[in-house]
Amino acid sequence: MLSLTEENYLKAIYHLSDDGSKSVLTNDLAAAMNTKAASVTDMIKKLSAKTVISYEKYYGVNVTSKGKNEALMVIRKHRLWETFLVEKLGFSWDEVHEVAEQLEHINSTRLIEKLDEFLGFPKVDPHGDPIPDNKGKLKIMPMVAIDQLNIGYQGKIAAVKDSDSQLLKYLDKIGAKPGTKLKILNKEAYDESMEVLINDHRIFISKEVSQNILVVE
Amino acid sequence: MLSLTEENYLKAIYHLSDDGSKSVLTNDLAAAMNTKAASVTDMIKKLSAKTVISYEKYYGVNVTSKGKNEALMVIRKHRLWETFLVEKLGFSWDEVHEVAEQLEHINSTRLIEKLDEFLGFPKVDPHGDPIPDNKGKLKIMPMVAIDQLNIGYQGKIAAVKDSDSQLLKYLDKIGAKPGTKLKILNKEAYDESMEVLINDHRIFISKEVSQNILVVE
DNA sequence: AAATATTTTTAGGCTGACCTAAAAATTATA
DNA sequence: TATAATTTTTAGGTCAGCCTAAAAATATTT
C-alpha cells in the first residue's frame, strides 16, 4: 500500500522515465516534485523498499513491473475522473487537472469500476490520452505533432500534448480538441507557423501550438 | 485551511455535540476517533488555535460558528457524494459510507457545486439525512422513530438512524428506505416488536430495527 | 472532607515527509 | 589526469499526528 505522497512520486517517476523505458535522475525528480534532492533520496529509499522502483546509488531509479502497474492504476483513475468532470459535470478542459490530481488518490476498486461503466468504458480522456484498462494495459497509438506534417494533410486531432492551462484554454477557444477534423492549408517556412482548417474555420497557429496538436500516424 | 485529519476531528466533534448544541469530552472524542486521549488533547489545541472550536481545560470543547460552518461543508460534500454513488453509480446503500469518507475531503468548491447541479440539487441523501446547502444551511425535519408510534400509523419512511452496514443491508432487503410507504399493523407489548406493512409487504421487525426507522413528525 | 477512582493533561518519543548544510561520488574541464 | 564543477547522498533537524507513562485536575465514594 502506497501513501498519497508515494503515489505521487511513483507517478512522476513513471512519466519522467517515458512510461518506464529509461531511468530517472534525482535532480529531475526533485524539480518535478517541487522539492529538494535530499527529500527525493529519502523517498527513493522508501519506494525501493516497497519494490516499486529499483535504485542504484548515484545512477538514478527505474520503475519495476510492479511499480509500472501501480502507476498505471493511478493514471487510470486520473483519466477516468478527468473524463467524468468534463463529460458529466461540464468542466472545461483546462479546469480538470487540479481536481483530478486529488480524485486519483481515492482508494476503491469498486468505485473506479463503477465509474468506468458509468462513463461507457472510454478509451481516451478529454485530452486524448489513453485510459489504462483495469489490468493496467495501456493502448498506445503512435502519434505525431502536426508541425511534422505537410501541406494538404487531412485527419482528426487525436490528442494534445502539453497540459498547460493557458494552452488548453487557447485550444478550447479555437475548437481544437480530440476528435475534431483538421487540414493543413499552408506552412510558413520563416517561423514555421501554419494555416489550418479546424472545424471548417481557417486559423493561423504558431509553431509552439502546432507542436502540441497530435494526430495518429 | 484544515488538514484532512483536522476535518475528521471537527466532523466528529460536530456530530458528538449534537450539531453543536453541547460540549464534547476528550474521552468520548478519543473513542469516536479510535485514538488516545493524549492525541485528542494535542488536536484540540490545534483546532482551538484555528478558532473552529473553543476549549476550556478539563471541561470539553464546543464548536464555534466558524467551526460549525466548516463541519457542515464537509457533511454537505459527504452527503452529495453518497447520493452520487447510489443514484448514478448504482452503489447499494450500505457500501457508500467508506468511499464517501474519502471523497468528502476533496477540495474544490466548483466541483461540489457542479456535482450538486448534476444530481438535481437533492435535499436529502440516500439515508434520508438532509444535505446542507452551499451556505451551510441545514433543513432539519423533526422526526420520530416508529417504535414511538401507535398501531394504525401510516406514513412514509423519512430516514434511517444508524449507519451500521449490517442494519442497512437488512433494511435494504426488507425494502425499508426513505420514501417507502409504511403502516403499523400490530405491536407486541412483551418484546416491543411490531408488525408493519412496507411496500405492501407484511413484515415483523424487532424493537432494535423499529428504533432505526424514522418518519417525519 | 478525606480517600479513591476517573478523566484529562503534560512530558517525552516515534514515524513520515520535508528541510539545510556538509560530505562523497560522479562528470566536466583545463 | 588533476582540478573544478555538478550531482547525489548523508547527517541532523522540524512539524504533524500519533503513542505510552506519569502527573494533575476533577468527580465519586465512604
Side-chain angles (χ1 to χ4, degrees):
Chain A
M1 189 81 259
L2 299 183
S3 73
L4 187 146
T5 311
E6 288 168 341
E7 275 191 1
N8 280 332
Y9 268 92
L10 180 58
K11 198 179 50 144
I13 293 168
Y14 180 82
H15 285 311
L16 288 174
S17 70
D18 284 342
D19 301 358
S21 60
K22 63 181 201 198
S23 32
V24 175
L25 300 178
T26 302
N27 263 359
D28 294 346
L29 190 47
M33 295 300 294
N34 261 301
T35 187
K36 296 298 155 74
S39 308
V40 169
T41 304
D42 278 358
M43 182 53 82
I44 278 173
K45 287 176 185 166
K46 281 180 213 159
L47 291 175
S48 208
K50 293 193 174 183
T51 71
V52 292
I53 62 174
S54 61
Y55 167 50
E56 214 188 322
K57 257 190 180 180
Y58 293 101
Y59 291 95
V61 302
N62 286 88
V63 285
T64 62
S65 64
K66 180 182 170 189
K68 213 176 287 187
N69 197 70
E70 300 229 17
L72 283 164
M73 291 320 280
V74 177
I75 291 167
R76 167 170 166 79
K77 289 189 273 179
H78 183 101
R79 292 183 180 165
L80 282 173
W81 280 117
E82 284 205 342
T83 306
F84 169 73
L85 294 172
V86 169
E87 305 267 302
K88 300 294 182 181
L89 297 196
F91 269 67
S92 74
W93 227 25
D94 54 290
E95 300 171 311
V96 295
H97 194 75
E98 199 197 341
V99 183
E101 286 287 306
Q102 296 182 60
L103 287 164
E104 74 188 5
H105 300 291
I106 301 293
N107 207 299
S108 165
T109 312
R110 188 156 167 70
L111 171 62
I112 215 64
E113 293 310 299
K114 289 270 189 188
L115 183 65
D116 195 15
E117 184 188 347
F118 182 62
L119 298 171
F121 305 105
K123 294 279 169 292
V124 294
D125 75 9
H127 307 96
D129 294 317
I131 298 173
D133 71 17
N134 59 14
K135 261 98 185 151
K137 196 118 196 96
L138 190 66
K139 197 168 190 173
I140 301 160
M141 292 284 186
M143 297 195 193
V144 250
I146 58 168
D147 69 319
Q148 303 297 313
L149 303 174
N150 301 319
I151 296 173
Y153 173 86
Q154 282 194 51
K156 263 194 208 164
I157 297 175
V160 296
K161 208 173 187 177
D162 203 331
S163 61
D164 174 76
S165 166
Q166 286 277 98
L167 172 71
L168 293 178
K169 266 205 185 72
Y170 172 72
L171 292 177
D172 195 38
K173 200 172 68 184
I174 65 175
K177 52 180 119 194
T180 305
K181 274 197 304 178
L182 173 137
K183 183 176 181 182
I184 301 177
L185 301 173
N186 270 301
K187 289 175 81 171
E188 179 55 54
Y190 169 60
D191 62 358
E192 299 184 63
S193 66
M194 48 168 63
E195 192 185 358
V196 293
L197 205 62
I198 289 178
N199 259 337
D200 303 316
H201 289 281
R202 295 168 80 98
I203 296 164
F204 283 95
I205 57 176
S206 67
K207 191 193 179 187
E208 286 74 47
V209 171
S210 68
Q211 285 172 326
N212 279 291
I213 298 177
L214 306 180
V215 296
V216 173
E217 240 170 339
Chain B
M1 190 79 259
L2 299 182
S3 73
L4 187 145
T5 310
E6 287 168 341
E7 275 190 1
N8 281 331
Y9 267 93
L10 180 58
K11 198 179 49 144
I13 294 168
Y14 180 83
H15 285 311
L16 288 173
S17 70
D18 283 343
D19 302 358
S21 60
K22 63 181 201 197
S23 27
V24 175
L25 301 178
T26 302
N27 263 358
D28 294 346
L29 191 47
M33 296 299 295
N34 262 301
T35 185
K36 297 298 154 73
S39 309
V40 169
T41 303
D42 279 357
M43 182 53 83
I44 279 172
K45 287 177 186 165
K46 280 180 212 158
L47 291 175
S48 208
K50 293 193 174 181
T51 71
V52 291
I53 62 175
S54 62
Y55 167 50
E56 214 189 322
K57 256 190 182 181
Y58 293 100
Y59 291 94
V61 301
N62 286 89
V63 286
T64 63
S65 63
K66 181 182 169 189
K68 215 175 288 187
N69 197 71
E70 300 227 18
L72 283 164
M73 292 320 280
V74 178
I75 291 167
R76 168 171 165 78
K77 288 190 274 179
H78 184 101
R79 293 182 180 166
L80 283 173
W81 280 116
E82 284 206 341
T83 306
F84 169 73
L85 294 172
V86 169
E87 305 267 302
K88 301 294 182 179
L89 297 196
F91 269 68
S92 74
W93 228 23
D94 54 290
E95 301 171 310
V96 295
H97 193 73
E98 199 197 340
V99 183
E101 286 287 307
Q102 296 181 60
L103 286 164
E104 74 188 5
H105 300 292
I106 301 292
N107 207 300
S108 165
T109 312
R110 188 157 168 69
L111 171 62
I112 214 66
E113 293 310 299
K114 289 271 188 188
L115 183 64
D116 196 14
E117 185 187 345
F118 182 62
L119 298 171
F121 305 106
K123 295 279 168 292
V124 295
D125 76 7
H127 307 96
D129 294 317
I131 299 173
D133 71 17
N134 58 15
K135 261 96 186 151
K137 196 119 195 96
L138 190 65
K139 197 167 191 176
I140 301 161
M141 292 284 185
M143 297 194 193
V144 249
I146 58 168
D147 68 319
Q148 303 297 314
L149 303 174
N150 301 319
I151 295 173
Y153 173 87
Q154 281 194 52
K156 262 193 208 163
I157 296 175
V160 296
K161 208 172 187 178
D162 203 331
S163 60
D164 175 76
S165 167
Q166 287 277 99
L167 173 71
L168 293 178
K169 265 204 187 73
Y170 172 72
L171 292 176
D172 194 39
K173 200 172 69 183
I174 66 176
K177 50 181 118 193
T180 305
K181 274 196 305 177
L182 172 137
K183 183 176 181 181
I184 300 178
L185 300 174
N186 271 300
K187 288 175 82 172
E188 180 55 54
Y190 169 61
D191 62 358
E192 297 183 64
S193 65
M194 48 168 63
E195 192 186 357
V196 293
L197 204 62
I198 289 178
N199 258 337
D200 303 314
H201 288 280
R202 295 167 80 97
I203 296 165
F204 283 94
I205 57 176
S206 67
K207 191 193 180 187
E208 287 74 47
V209 170
S210 69
Q211 286 172 325
N212 279 290
I213 298 177
L214 307 179
V215 297
V216 174
E217 238 170 341

